[in-house]
Amino acid sequence: MDENLPLNEYVNHHKGSYDQFYKESLENPEKFWQEHSKIIDWYRNFDQVLDQSSAPFYRWFTNGKLNVSYNALDRHVKSFRRNKAAIIWVGEDGREKIVTYHGLLKRVNAFAKALIDSGIRKGDRVAIYLPMVIETPVVMLACARIGAVFTVIFSGFGASAIAERINDCGAKVVITADGGRRNGKIIPLKNIVDEALEDTKTVETVIVLKNTQNEVDMVEGRDFWYHEVASDERALVEPERMDSNDPLFILYTSGTTGKPKGVVHGNGGYSVWVSNTLKWAFDPKEDDRWWCAADIGWITGHSYIVFAPLLLGLTSIMYEGSITYPGPDRMWQIVEKYGVNILYTSPTAIRMLMRYGDSYPKKYDLSSLRILGSVGEPINPAAWHWFYSVIGSDRCPIIDTYWQTETGGFIISPSANLGIGPLKPGSATFPMPGIAPVILDENGNECKENEKGYICIQRPWPGMMLTLNGDDERYVKVYFSRFPGRYFNGDFAMKDKDGYYWLLGRSDEVIKVSGHRLGTIEIEDALVSFPEISEAAVISKPDNVKGEAIISFVIPKRGITPDRHLSERIKKEVRERLGPIIVPEEIHFVESLPKTRSGKIMRRVLKAVYLNQIPGDLTTLENEASVEDIKNAIEMLKKEKI
Ligand code: PRX
């Protein structure tokens, strides 16, 4: 794991400046952020770089006024970038759309007007349930333009996940499409929204994009076609002057307990953070084709397909569908066709493509690639080496970016632009400027070299969330109470003798399936909603491709005799309700679950028994018989009795 690669020339070229730069960011943050906030054009300069008076509700660039869509579009349209490609969109069927900065601004203005015509104003909440189409960034930027706070709901989520998010944020309008394409199939998005809206009260308007041409029901007075409401190509909507700390968007993410958390990001700090971090980590050049192969439904897509690249005036590639359809060479085909210079993807995608062997990438000319990137989970050395050698021909540094929905942008990552010396496969290397990490043990003492502990951040940084939607108390409790005064992010990490950070997975009950962050509680809630089930517990097992896979243990209600038919039906319905990534791979029927005396399910015991490991301290276990019961259930499934 600790093997040093041959020194990479690109990285070595700049070696040294990172240390000085990083030092300045911590020693003189006022001056540092004064300078680096200039990456954004402000209507009104801020009074103070950082207001800590209501910590941990840190406020950056106080009283500064800006508009994110102005910064992402108008200022480029006034410059030499007017006719530069802002977004290159690649459809699943090979269609392409190239939208220039000028073209994108026109579309954003047209949709901003549609929103205003629907009665949406600054501060109103807008839900976006769209597939990976050009209109997704258009709608996000239109909201940013008028100051409406949007929440993008991943288009793989099902009706109950949509309803929950709409209810939490109080969305007045939903923007969706007739359908989305994935793996040659059409996902009927509008139908799913209709089902979700049966459980919501706030939505007055639904705007539907015609995308896949499938039949949909339109509700008179509520539902409108996108192309009809956003038809005014000459519309000019003056950008709203937003306060730096006005919310820009809410993105829901999973935690250990309770319903998903609505992470709120602001206008000023977030924009300054995402644009600077993209610049520092990936060193993009004016003529680069930047491809972040993520989905806009997650934070990676928000920050690094839409906001950061457009704020920097780059050309951002986005693609529809999956990377293995119509064939496992799709990614390499796109790299060759568009001459991608920087490719940013996930360990799951790398592992998946690696399984198909070297012949697919070898068929294509990948020489345009200069830098590679990874995000979402720790990258295992085998995947790292394959990416480095087979895809990057041993020339391109791998920028392993560690961050979270809550952090807005990268927090630990190599900095190609600043230079940091040799990379170590599997380590995200060093903190971004302004980030002061610390690794603590159970008691809050700093861990020694190579000692695993909880990674925390000791100071605020501009990209950090403002709060959790409607729940300031939960924000303080989740992130700032475990180690008071420090941001606790739930991950294990360790620092080696050379100061490199190694991320070692979650310390809580959050699961990562193909890089998607899921809370055990959400899946358990879905399981116990079946009339046949009284209790449920979910754990994960390691998976060679997906990173982790979902394993569930359920107690059937009295009188129910579980069989394979029931478990298949549950899997199918959970998938329909929560979305295709959330499928329990195995369902084990048990009579009891291991619990503490206070009734808390001990998932760590379940996991240890499942993985044939020693379950550790069982003194708080209420019912030891449950452990035997679980072993039997696992054996039963192995023998395919159920
Ligand atoms: O556990 C860490 C893991 O993903 C979590 C954040 O998930 P999410 O909010 O969905 O954001 C994903 C995209 C940033 C983290 O708490 N994680 C993310 N990137 C890495 C990582 N673990 C190790 N290495 C990474 N590069």
Side-chain angles (χ1 to χ4, degrees):
M1 212 155 90
D2 198 355
E3 163 202 359
N4 279 23
L5 279 176
L7 299 188
N8 184 298
E9 272 184 28
Y10 184 96
V11 173
N12 276 335
H13 183 66
H14 301 281
K15 193 167 190 293
S17 67
Y18 165 82
D19 292 338
Q20 186 54 31
F21 201 81
Y22 179 67
K23 204 165 143 238
E24 279 165 22
S25 76
L26 295 189
E27 281 177 359
N28 201 343
E30 286 278 324
K31 182 163 165 271
F32 185 88
W33 289 115
Q34 270 290 352
E35 183 58 31
H36 294 284
S37 65
K38 291 186 189 144
I39 205 157
I40 292 299
D41 289 349
W42 299 81
Y43 293 126
R44 179 189 187 278
N45 225 334
F46 43 87
D47 297 332
Q48 210 185 344
V49 166
L50 171 64
D51 173 7
Q52 309 206 52
S53 60
S54 328
F57 298 93
Y58 301 99
R59 295 299 173 244
W60 285 85
F61 312 121
T62 50
N63 298 323
K65 305 279 184 238
L66 75 156
N67 185 281
V68 173
S69 97
Y70 173 86
N71 275 279
L73 301 168
D74 307 52
R75 66 168 171 166
H76 303 313
V77 169
K78 288 185 208 160
S79 78
F80 64 95
R81 297 193 181 112
R82 181 181 180 85
N83 295 317
K84 177 177 177 177
I87 298 179
I88 298 178
W89 175 88
V90 190
E92 196 173 69
D93 52 6
R95 280 179 309 145
E96 70 173 26
K97 281 183 197 159
I98 299 179
V99 183
T100 63
Y101 275 94
H102 181 236
L104 193 58
L105 176 59
K106 278 174 70 171
R107 288 170 183 244
V108 168
N109 265 318
F111 197 75
K113 180 165 182 294
L115 284 172
I116 290 172
D117 292 345
S118 311
I120 300 298
R121 297 289 177 268
K122 180 178 171 184
D124 284 343
R125 307 298 174 79
V126 175
I128 305 174
Y129 184 64
L130 281 171
M132 286 287 285
V133 287
I134 288 276
E135 286 77 5
T136 312
V138 168
V139 172
M140 294 161 81
L141 289 161
C143 289
R145 192 167 194 86
I146 67 167
V149 183
F150 63 85
T151 189
V152 178
I153 304 171
F154 174 53
S155 61
F157 277 143
S160 63
I162 302 173
E164 187 167 34
R165 285 157 176 75
I166 288 177
N167 288 334
D168 188 80
C169 75
K172 279 170 84 174
V173 48
V174 182
I175 325 299
T176 189
D178 46 2
R181 290 185 192 83
R182 200 174 172 86
N183 292 322
K185 292 196 209 88
I186 288 179
I187 301 149
L189 301 179
K190 169 66 165 64
N191 295 355
I192 302 173
V193 167
D194 286 339
E195 193 188 328
L197 294 191
E198 286 170 19
D199 296 322
T200 64
K201 292 197 178 66
T202 51
V203 174
E204 293 161 9
T205 308
V206 179
I207 300 177
V208 188
L209 177 77
K210 217 171 227 180
N211 184 45
T212 45
Q213 321 296 331
N214 47 306
E215 281 278 316
V216 295
D217 293 331
M218 297 292 277
V219 176
E220 179 80 41
R222 187 196 75 179
D223 300 354
F224 301 89
W225 289 108
Y226 187 108
H227 62 271
E228 286 173 7
V229 294
S231 59
D232 186 355
E233 290 211 343
R234 306 207 64 79
L236 284 178
V237 175
E238 190 58 27
E240 192 76 36
R241 292 181 178 227
M242 302 299 288
D243 188 272
S244 171
N245 291 294
D246 280 336
L248 173 65
F249 66 85
I250 303 170
L251 185 58
Y252 287 86
T253 187
S254 300
T256 312
T257 53
K259 56 187 172 94
K261 300 177 289 204
V263 170
V264 183
H265 280 291
N267 281 266
Y270 174 80
S271 311
V272 168
W273 188 250
V274 294
S275 29
N276 276 302
T277 49
L278 178 57
K279 187 177 107 185
W280 292 330
F282 283 97
D283 193 25
K285 309 283 187 226
E286 184 67 47
D287 291 332
D288 274 352
R289 263 83 52 189
W290 156 260
W291 184 17
C292 168
D295 192 291
I296 293 182
W298 309 105
I299 191 69
T300 309
H302 281 59
S303 298
Y304 298 107
I305 297 176
V306 182
F307 290 112
L310 298 180
L311 288 167
L312 293 178
L314 299 173
T315 298
S316 182
I317 295 178
M318 69 182 277
Y319 79 112
E320 176 193 55
S322 84
I323 47 163
T324 48
Y325 184 88
D329 54 350
R330 183 158 189 228
M331 203 163 214
W332 320 128
Q333 210 172 23
I334 295 176
V335 170
E336 182 185 274
K337 180 163 182 198
Y338 297 99
V340 172
N341 307 100
I342 313 181
L343 170 63
Y344 182 38
T345 183
S346 67
T348 294
I350 298 165
R351 286 192 295 263
M352 203 191 283
L353 296 171
M354 196 172 131
R355 275 201 317 182
Y356 292 98
D358 299 0
S359 64
Y360 287 102
K362 293 267 188 255
K363 270 194 279 185
Y364 293 88
D365 176 7
L366 306 181
S367 61
S368 58
L369 289 172
R370 195 177 75 248
I371 299 186
L372 301 171
S374 168
V375 60
E377 15 162 2
I379 176 164
N380 51 309
W384 198 102
H385 282 292
W386 187 79
F387 202 31
Y388 188 76
S389 298
V390 179
I391 306 308
S393 299
D394 295 332
R395 305 179 282 109
C396 310
I398 294 185
I399 308 298
D400 177 0
T401 62
Y402 165 67
W403 57 298
Q404 307 178 295
T405 306
E406 294 88 336
T407 67
F410 316 144
I411 52 170
I412 298 184
S413 164
S415 303
N417 177 258
L418 309 171
I420 45 127
L423 298 168
K424 297 188 188 190
S427 164
T429 74
F430 301 110
M432 281 277 109
I435 296 291
V438 63
I439 300 173
L440 302 174
D441 67 15
E442 283 299 331
N443 304 318
N445 299 317
E446 200 166 334
C447 288
K448 294 194 250 337
E449 240 171 48
N450 292 330
E451 194 188 331
K452 175 174 167 178
Y454 302 97
I455 182 159
C456 294
I457 303 177
Q458 313 196 64
R459 302 181 179 195
W461 65 99
M464 71 191 295
M465 72 193 128
L466 296 177
T467 187
L468 293 177
N469 184 49
D471 206 344
D472 287 350
E473 212 176 293
R474 192 173 178 204
Y475 167 79
V476 178
K477 186 159 173 267
V478 172
Y479 304 102
F480 294 94
S481 66
R482 176 75 175 82
F483 300 106
R486 276 127 168 193
Y487 169 77
F488 167 63
N489 67 15
D491 284 311
F492 281 131
M494 132 198 140
K495 195 157 108 169
D496 71 14
K497 63 175 193 330
D498 302 320
Y500 284 61
Y501 285 86
W502 298 81
L503 282 308
L504 304 171
R506 300 289 308 178
S507 67
D508 55 18
E509 284 155 4
V510 166
I511 301 181
K512 279 258 159 166
V513 180
S514 303
H516 301 316
R517 178 169 159 184
L518 310 169
T520 49
I521 189 90
E522 290 153 68
I523 310 158
E524 289 162 2
D525 280 352
L527 290 169
V528 294
S529 69
F530 284 85
E532 294 89 351
I533 293 176
S534 66
E535 280 187 74
V538 164
I539 59 160
S540 68
K541 71 165 184 187
D543 183 284
N544 283 340
V545 174
K546 292 188 280 190
E548 287 182 284
I550 302 167
I551 306 296
S552 60
F553 293 86
V554 298
I555 305 181
K557 287 216 177 114
R558 267 172 201 279
I560 301 287
T561 317
D563 56 13
R564 179 165 285 277
H565 177 70
L566 176 62
S567 81
E568 289 309 315
R569 183 162 60 80
I570 293 174
K571 284 186 201 173
K572 184 170 164 280
E573 284 181 31
V574 168
R575 184 192 160 94
E576 276 166 15
R577 232 179 286 172
L578 295 180
I581 42 169
I582 315 176
V583 192
E585 205 128 300
E586 294 170 16
I587 297 184
H588 298 274
F589 294 98
V590 292
E591 280 169 23
S592 57
L593 289 168
K595 285 186 188 159
T596 60
R597 292 195 182 92
S598 57
K600 216 173 164 271
I601 295 173
M602 296 179 81
R603 294 183 190 81
R604 109 182 128 73
V605 173
L606 269 177
K607 189 160 179 167
V609 173
Y610 182 85
L611 295 176
N612 249 333
Q613 293 164 346
I614 300 151
D617 179 19
L618 292 179
T619 48
T620 50
L621 190 66
E622 175 209 40
N623 172 11
E624 258 186 73
S626 61
V627 173
E628 277 312 304
D629 182 28
I630 288 152
K631 280 188 188 155
N632 291 338
I634 295 166
E635 281 310 309
M636 291 262 279
L637 197 83
K638 275 192 193 144
K639 288 186 205 139
E640 296 228 313
K641 278 198 186 153
I642 291 186

